[in-house]
């Protein structure tokens, strides 16, 4: 009798300790683990060209405002190379043009930025979400730094001088401009560098399927110069307004930060 009661008691204790709904559920993944997985995922290339096309607006905005205010490009380095050549020529026919220093600084900083941004992408995987977010956040912060300098120490004259409060913002903005071009390589949309249009014009109008419906390459090539033109119009209007280059830089910083948010919520590449 005692043995039977003991057996029943052990069974009862076991029944009380067993879960009511069968096997216990595994613990929920922590928010940190989910965030880590999200940030380490590679973004999908599908429709990612839309973000790269929007970069053309920023390019037009900054280049038109910078040429109005500083007499140099911050993205289109073909123009700066020509300006450097004209500046070198002016050595033989003084006075020496300050465009030599302004365009030279922009060109050198763009090359340095390309060197560093490209190696950053290669080191940590080109399409990884956090890599893209950090890249565009850096671009946004560089625009903020340039805008802050221009806001606090605007040039006192418009005589074409090469003071630090012109050269430093110019260098910062040129350094960040190449980040867009590097991203186009990372996402394998090599034509959408956002800093060159000559090759796009050539490829667009030499396309044998130029008038064929459903031609995505043609659509991208047609959209790129139109968006850059729109940005250039906006930049020109802002440059001639009371806010000047300062307003264009703050707007560019906001647009770059919006792209950071876009990359954070962009769909991930499907896993095999």
């Amino acid at each position: 009798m005692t043995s039977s009661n003991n057996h029943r008691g052990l069974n009862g204790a076991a029944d009380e300790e067993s879960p009511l709904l069968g096997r216990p559920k595994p613990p929920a993944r922590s928010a940190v683990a989910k965030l880590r997985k999200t940030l380490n995922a590679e973004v999908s290339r599908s429709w990612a060209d839309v973000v790269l096309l929007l970069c053309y607006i920023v390019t037009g905005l900054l280049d038109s405002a910078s040429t109005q205010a500083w007499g140099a490009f911050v993205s289109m380095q073909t123009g700066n190379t020509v300006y450097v050549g004209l500046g070198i020529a002016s050595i033989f026919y003084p006075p020496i043009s300050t465009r030599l220093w302004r365009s030279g600084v922009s060109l050198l900083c763009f090359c340095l930025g390309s060197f560093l941004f490209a190696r950053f992408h290669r080191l940590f995987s080109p399409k990884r979400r956090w890599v893209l977010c950090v890249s565009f956040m850096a671009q946004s912060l560089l625009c903020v730094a340039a805008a802050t300098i221009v806001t606090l120490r605007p040039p006192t004259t418009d005589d074409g001088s090469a003071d630090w409060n012109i050269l430093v913002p110019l260098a910062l903005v040129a350094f960040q401009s190449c980040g867009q071009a590097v991203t186009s390589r990372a996402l394998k949309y090599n034509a959408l560098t956002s800093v060159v249009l000559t090759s796009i014009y050539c490829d667009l109008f030499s396309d044998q399927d130029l008038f064929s419906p459903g031609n995505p390459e043609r659509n991208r090539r047609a959209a790129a110069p139109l968006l850059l033109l729109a940005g250039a119009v906006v930049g020109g209007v802002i440059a001639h307004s009371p806010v000047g280059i300062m307003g264009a830089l703050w707007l560019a910083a906001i647009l770059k930060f919006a792209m950071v948010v876009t990359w954070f919520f962009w769909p991930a590449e499907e896993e095999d």
Side-chain angles (χ1 to χ4, degrees), residues 38 41-52 54 127 129 132-133 187 189 259-269:
T38 299
E42 293 196 343
V43 300
S44 173
R45 288 186 67 252
S46 179
W47 292 94
D49 53 331
V50 173
V51 182
L52 298 176
L54 293 178
K127 295 193 302 176
R129 189 187 309 280
L132 291 170
C133 289
L187 296 175
Y189 287 105
M259 293 177 189
V260 175
V261 177
T262 301
W263 287 127
F264 183 82
F265 291 103
W266 198 262
E269 196 78 69

Side-chain angles (χ1 to χ4, degrees), residues 71-72 80-91 96-108 160 162 167 170:
N80 279 334
T81 303
V82 173
Y83 283 156
V84 169
L86 292 174
I88 293 173
S90 71
I91 294 175
I96 299 176
S97 172
T98 56
R99 277 187 168 175
L100 172 61
W101 317 118
R102 296 187 184 193
S103 298
V105 165
S106 178
L107 179 59
L108 288 175
L167 293 181
L170 178 63

Side-chain angles (χ1 to χ4, degrees), residues 39-270:
L39 292 176
N40 285 322
E42 293 196 343
V43 300
S44 173
R45 288 186 67 252
S46 179
W47 292 94
D49 53 331
V50 173
V51 182
L52 298 176
L53 286 170
L54 293 178
C55 289
Y56 280 89
I57 297 178
V58 181
T59 296
L61 171 71
L62 291 176
D63 266 349
S64 63
S66 65
T67 52
Q68 289 285 337
W70 298 328
F73 296 98
V74 292
S75 300
M76 193 181 71
Q77 298 306 322
T78 302
N80 279 334
T81 303
V82 173
Y83 283 156
V84 169
L86 292 174
I88 293 173
S90 71
I91 294 175
F92 303 99
Y93 306 97
I96 299 176
S97 172
T98 56
R99 277 187 168 175
L100 172 61
W101 317 118
R102 296 187 184 193
S103 298
V105 165
S106 178
L107 179 59
L108 288 175
C109 289
F110 186 91
C111 293
L112 177 62
S114 299
F115 180 87
L116 295 177
F117 272 105
R119 277 153 182 78
F120 171 71
H121 276 268
R122 292 194 195 106
L123 181 62
F124 296 107
S125 181
K127 295 193 302 176
R128 191 161 289 174
R129 189 187 309 280
W130 75 263
V131 173
L132 291 170
C133 289
V134 168
S135 174
F136 277 81
M137 179 60 76
Q139 296 168 46
S140 178
L141 292 177
L142 288 168
C143 288
V144 168
T148 301
I149 294 173
V150 173
T151 302
L152 298 178
R153 292 295 299 273
T156 55
T157 60
D158 190 20
D159 58 358
S161 59
D163 297 330
W164 75 269
N165 54 343
I166 294 176
L167 293 181
V168 173
L170 178 63
L172 293 173
V173 180
F175 185 93
Q176 66 82 37
S177 292
C178 62
Q180 303 174 164
V182 170
T183 302
S184 71
R185 301 298 199 261
L187 296 175
K188 302 188 185 304
Y189 287 105
N190 293 348
L192 300 180
T193 62
S194 77
V195 294
V196 178
L197 283 185
T198 305
S199 59
I200 286 183
Y201 282 129
C202 177
D203 293 338
L204 173 63
F205 290 101
S206 63
D207 188 352
Q208 64 178 354
D209 299 320
L210 177 61
F211 301 106
S212 300
N215 185 345
E217 288 293 332
R218 182 270 323 277
N219 296 341
R220 295 188 193 104
R221 291 167 182 155
L226 293 176
L227 291 172
L228 192 144
L229 179 63
V233 171
V234 174
V237 171
I238 293 176
H240 285 94
S241 71
V243 296
I245 184 70
M246 173 185 66
L249 291 173
W250 283 115
L251 178 56
I254 293 171
L255 292 174
K256 286 294 180 77
F257 181 75
M259 293 177 189
V260 175
V261 177
T262 301
W263 287 127
F264 183 82
F265 291 103
W266 198 262
E269 196 78 69
E270 293 183 4

